[in-house]
mmCIF file of all heavy atoms in Angstrom:
data_model
loop_
_atom_site.group_PDB
_atom_site.id
_atom_site.type_symbol
_atom_site.label_atom_id
_atom_site.label_comp_id
_atom_site.label_asym_id
_atom_site.label_seq_id
_atom_site.Cartn_x
_atom_site.Cartn_y
_atom_site.Cartn_z
ATOM 1 N N LEU A 1 0.573 184.836 105.081
ATOM 2 C CA LEU A 1 0.824 183.773 106.051
ATOM 3 C C LEU A 1 -0.229 182.688 105.903
ATOM 4 O O LEU A 1 -1.420 182.976 105.833
ATOM 5 C CB LEU A 1 0.803 184.302 107.484
ATOM 6 C CG LEU A 1 1.106 183.191 108.498
ATOM 7 C CD1 LEU A 1 2.395 183.477 109.261
ATOM 8 C CD2 LEU A 1 -0.047 182.973 109.454
ATOM 9 N N VAL A 2 0.232 181.443 105.859
ATOM 10 C CA VAL A 2 -0.672 180.306 105.719
ATOM 11 C C VAL A 2 -0.755 179.552 107.033
ATOM 12 O O VAL A 2 0.271 179.213 107.635
ATOM 13 C CB VAL A 2 -0.201 179.360 104.601
ATOM 14 C CG1 VAL A 2 -1.159 178.171 104.475
ATOM 15 C CG2 VAL A 2 -0.108 180.092 103.274
ATOM 16 N N LEU A 3 -1.990 179.305 107.494
ATOM 17 C CA LEU A 3 -2.236 178.436 108.644
ATOM 18 C C LEU A 3 -2.567 177.052 108.105
ATOM 19 O O LEU A 3 -3.523 176.897 107.329
ATOM 20 C CB LEU A 3 -3.411 178.952 109.477
ATOM 21 C CG LEU A 3 -3.243 180.304 110.184
ATOM 22 C CD1 LEU A 3 -4.570 180.732 110.803
ATOM 23 C CD2 LEU A 3 -2.168 180.233 111.247
ATOM 24 N N VAL A 4 -1.785 176.053 108.498
ATOM 25 C CA VAL A 4 -1.978 174.714 107.959
ATOM 26 C C VAL A 4 -1.974 173.698 109.089
ATOM 27 O O VAL A 4 -1.353 173.910 110.139
ATOM 28 C CB VAL A 4 -0.890 174.387 106.906
ATOM 29 C CG1 VAL A 4 0.480 174.235 107.553
ATOM 30 C CG2 VAL A 4 -1.229 173.136 106.112
ATOM 31 N N GLY A 5 -2.684 172.615 108.878
ATOM 32 C CA GLY A 5 -2.731 171.549 109.865
ATOM 33 C C GLY A 5 -3.825 170.576 109.500
ATOM 34 O O GLY A 5 -4.651 170.845 108.621
ATOM 35 N N PRO A 6 -3.874 169.416 110.160
ATOM 36 C CA PRO A 6 -4.926 168.438 109.871
ATOM 37 C C PRO A 6 -6.277 168.920 110.378
ATOM 38 O O PRO A 6 -6.378 169.936 111.070
ATOM 39 C CB PRO A 6 -4.449 167.192 110.635
ATOM 40 C CG PRO A 6 -3.621 167.734 111.754
ATOM 41 C CD PRO A 6 -2.952 168.965 111.216
ATOM 42 N N SER A 7 -7.326 168.172 110.061
ATOM 43 C CA SER A 7 -8.663 168.507 110.568
ATOM 44 C C SER A 7 -8.645 168.520 112.089
ATOM 45 O O SER A 7 -8.074 167.627 112.720
ATOM 46 C CB SER A 7 -9.688 167.474 110.077
ATOM 47 O OG SER A 7 -9.800 167.523 108.679
ATOM 48 N N GLY A 8 -9.257 169.554 112.677
ATOM 49 C CA GLY A 8 -9.301 169.661 114.125
ATOM 50 C C GLY A 8 -8.079 170.302 114.743
ATOM 51 O O GLY A 8 -7.953 170.353 115.965
ATOM 52 N N SER A 9 -7.192 170.845 113.913
ATOM 53 C CA SER A 9 -5.963 171.434 114.446
ATOM 54 C C SER A 9 -6.179 172.837 115.004
ATOM 55 O O SER A 9 -5.334 173.353 115.736
ATOM 56 C CB SER A 9 -4.885 171.483 113.355
ATOM 57 O OG SER A 9 -5.299 172.303 112.274
ATOM 58 N N GLY A 10 -7.297 173.485 114.639
ATOM 59 C CA GLY A 10 -7.587 174.822 115.147
ATOM 60 C C GLY A 10 -7.331 175.937 114.159
ATOM 61 O O GLY A 10 -7.534 177.114 114.472
ATOM 62 N N LYS A 11 -6.940 175.599 112.940
ATOM 63 C CA LYS A 11 -6.570 176.645 111.976
ATOM 64 C C LYS A 11 -7.765 177.511 111.569
ATOM 65 O O LYS A 11 -7.655 178.737 111.534
ATOM 66 C CB LYS A 11 -5.903 176.016 110.746
ATOM 67 C CG LYS A 11 -6.723 174.962 110.040
ATOM 68 C CD LYS A 11 -5.919 174.240 108.976
ATOM 69 C CE LYS A 11 -6.794 173.250 108.207
ATOM 70 N NZ LYS A 11 -7.343 172.178 109.072
ATOM 71 N N SER A 12 -8.911 176.888 111.274
ATOM 72 C CA SER A 12 -10.091 177.682 110.891
ATOM 73 C C SER A 12 -10.628 178.475 112.079
ATOM 74 O O SER A 12 -11.089 179.607 111.919
ATOM 75 C CB SER A 12 -11.189 176.775 110.322
ATOM 76 O OG SER A 12 -10.822 176.287 109.051
ATOM 77 N N THR A 13 -10.553 177.888 113.274
ATOM 78 C CA THR A 13 -10.992 178.613 114.468
ATOM 79 C C THR A 13 -10.130 179.854 114.681
ATOM 80 O O THR A 13 -10.638 180.934 115.000
ATOM 81 C CB THR A 13 -10.911 177.700 115.708
ATOM 82 O OG1 THR A 13 -11.762 176.569 115.505
ATOM 83 C CG2 THR A 13 -11.355 178.440 116.963
ATOM 84 N N ALA A 14 -8.802 179.712 114.490
ATOM 85 C CA ALA A 14 -7.899 180.860 114.635
ATOM 86 C C ALA A 14 -8.255 181.964 113.648
ATOM 87 O O ALA A 14 -8.240 183.156 113.988
ATOM 88 C CB ALA A 14 -6.449 180.412 114.442
ATOM 89 N N LEU A 15 -8.600 181.580 112.416
ATOM 90 C CA LEU A 15 -8.984 182.565 111.400
ATOM 91 C C LEU A 15 -10.292 183.249 111.780
ATOM 92 O O LEU A 15 -10.432 184.467 111.664
ATOM 93 C CB LEU A 15 -9.113 181.888 110.039
ATOM 94 C CG LEU A 15 -9.272 182.843 108.851
ATOM 95 C CD1 LEU A 15 -7.923 183.417 108.461
ATOM 96 C CD2 LEU A 15 -9.907 182.138 107.656
ATOM 97 N N ARG A 16 -11.244 182.467 112.257
ATOM 98 C CA ARG A 16 -12.552 183.014 112.627
ATOM 99 C C ARG A 16 -12.447 183.908 113.862
ATOM 100 O O ARG A 16 -13.202 184.870 114.002
ATOM 101 C CB ARG A 16 -13.544 181.877 112.851
ATOM 102 C CG ARG A 16 -13.921 181.144 111.555
ATOM 103 C CD ARG A 16 -14.760 179.909 111.818
ATOM 104 N NE ARG A 16 -16.029 180.245 112.428
ATOM 105 C CZ ARG A 16 -17.107 180.655 111.766
ATOM 106 N NH1 ARG A 16 -17.061 180.788 110.449
ATOM 107 N NH2 ARG A 16 -18.226 180.932 112.388
ATOM 108 N N MET A 17 -11.507 183.622 114.756
ATOM 109 C CA MET A 17 -11.251 184.516 115.890
ATOM 110 C C MET A 17 -10.761 185.872 115.389
ATOM 111 O O MET A 17 -11.171 186.928 115.889
ATOM 112 C CB MET A 17 -10.219 183.894 116.825
ATOM 113 C CG MET A 17 -10.721 182.672 117.592
ATOM 114 S SD MET A 17 -9.375 181.687 118.285
ATOM 115 C CE MET A 17 -8.803 182.769 119.608
ATOM 116 N N LEU A 18 -9.893 185.850 114.395
ATOM 117 C CA LEU A 18 -9.384 187.096 113.819
ATOM 118 C C LEU A 18 -10.495 187.871 113.116
ATOM 119 O O LEU A 18 -10.538 189.103 113.163
ATOM 120 C CB LEU A 18 -8.241 186.778 112.843
ATOM 121 C CG LEU A 18 -7.614 187.939 112.082
ATOM 122 C CD1 LEU A 18 -7.084 189.020 113.021
ATOM 123 C CD2 LEU A 18 -6.485 187.416 111.178
ATOM 124 N N ALA A 19 -11.413 187.131 112.496
ATOM 125 C CA ALA A 19 -12.532 187.775 111.793
ATOM 126 C C ALA A 19 -13.605 188.292 112.748
ATOM 127 O O ALA A 19 -14.458 189.082 112.344
ATOM 128 C CB ALA A 19 -13.157 186.784 110.814
ATOM 129 N N GLY A 20 -13.589 187.814 114.012
ATOM 130 C CA GLY A 20 -14.628 188.205 114.957
ATOM 131 C C GLY A 20 -15.821 187.280 114.933
ATOM 132 O O GLY A 20 -16.857 187.572 115.541
ATOM 133 N N LEU A 21 -15.691 186.146 114.234
ATOM 134 C CA LEU A 21 -16.792 185.187 114.135
ATOM 135 C C LEU A 21 -16.751 184.157 115.255
ATOM 136 O O LEU A 21 -17.700 183.379 115.411
ATOM 137 C CB LEU A 21 -16.749 184.482 112.774
ATOM 138 C CG LEU A 21 -16.811 185.403 111.555
ATOM 139 C CD1 LEU A 21 -16.680 184.594 110.271
ATOM 140 C CD2 LEU A 21 -18.105 186.210 111.558
ATOM 141 N N GLU A 22 -15.648 184.109 115.995
ATOM 142 C CA GLU A 22 -15.539 183.262 117.180
ATOM 143 C C GLU A 22 -15.054 184.128 118.343
ATOM 144 O O GLU A 22 -14.225 185.025 118.149
ATOM 145 C CB GLU A 22 -14.541 182.115 116.970
ATOM 146 C CG GLU A 22 -14.976 181.074 115.979
ATOM 147 C CD GLU A 22 -16.090 180.171 116.504
ATOM 148 O OE1 GLU A 22 -16.429 180.290 117.702
ATOM 149 O OE2 GLU A 22 -16.613 179.378 115.715
ATOM 150 N N GLU A 23 -15.555 183.838 119.537
ATOM 151 C CA GLU A 23 -15.124 184.575 120.717
ATOM 152 C C GLU A 23 -13.684 184.221 121.076
ATOM 153 O O GLU A 23 -13.205 183.133 120.776
ATOM 154 C CB GLU A 23 -16.029 184.247 121.907
ATOM 155 C CG GLU A 23 -17.448 184.769 121.779
ATOM 156 C CD GLU A 23 -18.274 184.441 123.025
ATOM 157 O OE1 GLU A 23 -17.659 184.170 124.074
ATOM 158 O OE2 GLU A 23 -19.501 184.450 122.912
ATOM 159 N N VAL A 24 -13.007 185.155 121.729
ATOM 160 C CA VAL A 24 -11.678 184.914 122.291
ATOM 161 C C VAL A 24 -11.864 184.780 123.798
ATOM 162 O O VAL A 24 -12.225 185.740 124.481
ATOM 163 C CB VAL A 24 -10.713 186.069 121.953
ATOM 164 C CG1 VAL A 24 -9.341 185.818 122.570
ATOM 165 C CG2 VAL A 24 -10.592 186.233 120.435
ATOM 166 N N ASP A 25 -11.658 183.571 124.321
ATOM 167 C CA ASP A 25 -11.921 183.319 125.742
ATOM 168 C C ASP A 25 -10.847 183.920 126.639
ATOM 169 O O ASP A 25 -11.119 184.308 127.775
ATOM 170 C CB ASP A 25 -12.041 181.817 125.994
ATOM 171 C CG ASP A 25 -13.274 181.233 125.322
ATOM 172 O OD1 ASP A 25 -14.391 181.639 125.680
ATOM 173 O OD2 ASP A 25 -13.120 180.400 124.410
ATOM 174 N N SER A 26 -9.624 183.970 126.156
ATOM 175 C CA SER A 26 -8.547 184.660 126.879
ATOM 176 C C SER A 26 -7.494 185.080 125.867
ATOM 177 O O SER A 26 -7.433 184.558 124.759
ATOM 178 C CB SER A 26 -7.934 183.760 127.956
ATOM 179 O OG SER A 26 -7.322 182.622 127.380
ATOM 180 N N GLY A 27 -6.656 186.036 126.269
ATOM 181 C CA GLY A 27 -5.686 186.587 125.331
ATOM 182 C C GLY A 27 -6.312 187.690 124.484
ATOM 183 O O GLY A 27 -7.455 188.111 124.720
ATOM 184 N N SER A 28 -5.562 188.141 123.482
ATOM 185 C CA SER A 28 -6.009 189.281 122.669
ATOM 186 C C SER A 28 -5.608 189.093 121.213
ATOM 187 O O SER A 28 -4.716 188.304 120.885
ATOM 188 C CB SER A 28 -5.386 190.586 123.189
ATOM 189 O OG SER A 28 -5.659 190.776 124.552
ATOM 190 N N ILE A 29 -6.279 189.851 120.339
ATOM 191 C CA ILE A 29 -5.938 189.890 118.911
ATOM 192 C C ILE A 29 -5.842 191.355 118.492
ATOM 193 O O ILE A 29 -6.704 192.169 118.838
ATOM 194 C CB ILE A 29 -6.981 189.145 118.066
ATOM 195 C CG1 ILE A 29 -6.957 187.640 118.394
ATOM 196 C CG2 ILE A 29 -6.719 189.358 116.579
ATOM 197 C CD1 ILE A 29 -7.983 186.828 117.639
ATOM 198 N N TYR A 30 -4.793 191.681 117.760
ATOM 199 C CA TYR A 30 -4.548 193.052 117.324
ATOM 200 C C TYR A 30 -4.462 193.116 115.805
ATOM 201 O O TYR A 30 -3.864 192.240 115.160
ATOM 202 C CB TYR A 30 -3.230 193.577 117.913
ATOM 203 C CG TYR A 30 -3.215 193.685 119.418
ATOM 204 C CD1 TYR A 30 -2.931 192.570 120.209
ATOM 205 C CD2 TYR A 30 -3.472 194.895 120.063
ATOM 206 C CE1 TYR A 30 -2.921 192.649 121.587
ATOM 207 C CE2 TYR A 30 -3.463 194.990 121.445
ATOM 208 C CZ TYR A 30 -3.181 193.868 122.200
ATOM 209 O OH TYR A 30 -3.170 193.949 123.575
ATOM 210 N N ILE A 31 -5.059 194.155 115.237
ATOM 211 C CA ILE A 31 -4.890 194.491 113.823
ATOM 212 C C ILE A 31 -4.356 195.913 113.770
ATOM 213 O O ILE A 31 -4.983 196.834 114.292
ATOM 214 C CB ILE A 31 -6.213 194.387 113.043
ATOM 215 C CG1 ILE A 31 -6.735 192.945 113.052
ATOM 216 C CG2 ILE A 31 -6.027 194.868 111.601
ATOM 217 C CD1 ILE A 31 -8.091 192.768 112.376
ATOM 218 N N ALA A 32 -3.183 196.083 113.194
ATOM 219 C CA ALA A 32 -2.535 197.398 113.120
ATOM 220 C C ALA A 32 -2.408 198.030 114.506
ATOM 221 O O ALA A 32 -2.724 199.207 114.696
ATOM 222 C CB ALA A 32 -3.291 198.313 112.176
ATOM 223 N N ASP A 33 -1.977 197.217 115.474
ATOM 224 C CA ASP A 33 -1.762 197.664 116.857
ATOM 225 C C ASP A 33 -3.048 198.088 117.562
ATOM 226 O O ASP A 33 -3.004 198.653 118.658
ATOM 227 C CB ASP A 33 -0.743 198.812 116.907
ATOM 228 C CG ASP A 33 0.630 198.365 116.458
ATOM 229 O OD1 ASP A 33 0.982 197.203 116.732
ATOM 230 O OD2 ASP A 33 1.339 199.170 115.839
#
């Protein structure tokens, strides 16, 4: 899956949230349930 968008669209932040390098202020992220 590719996350694409212009600068400032949030794509790198979304990736870093999945990696644990950015906090998740609300909501959740799951890997293998």
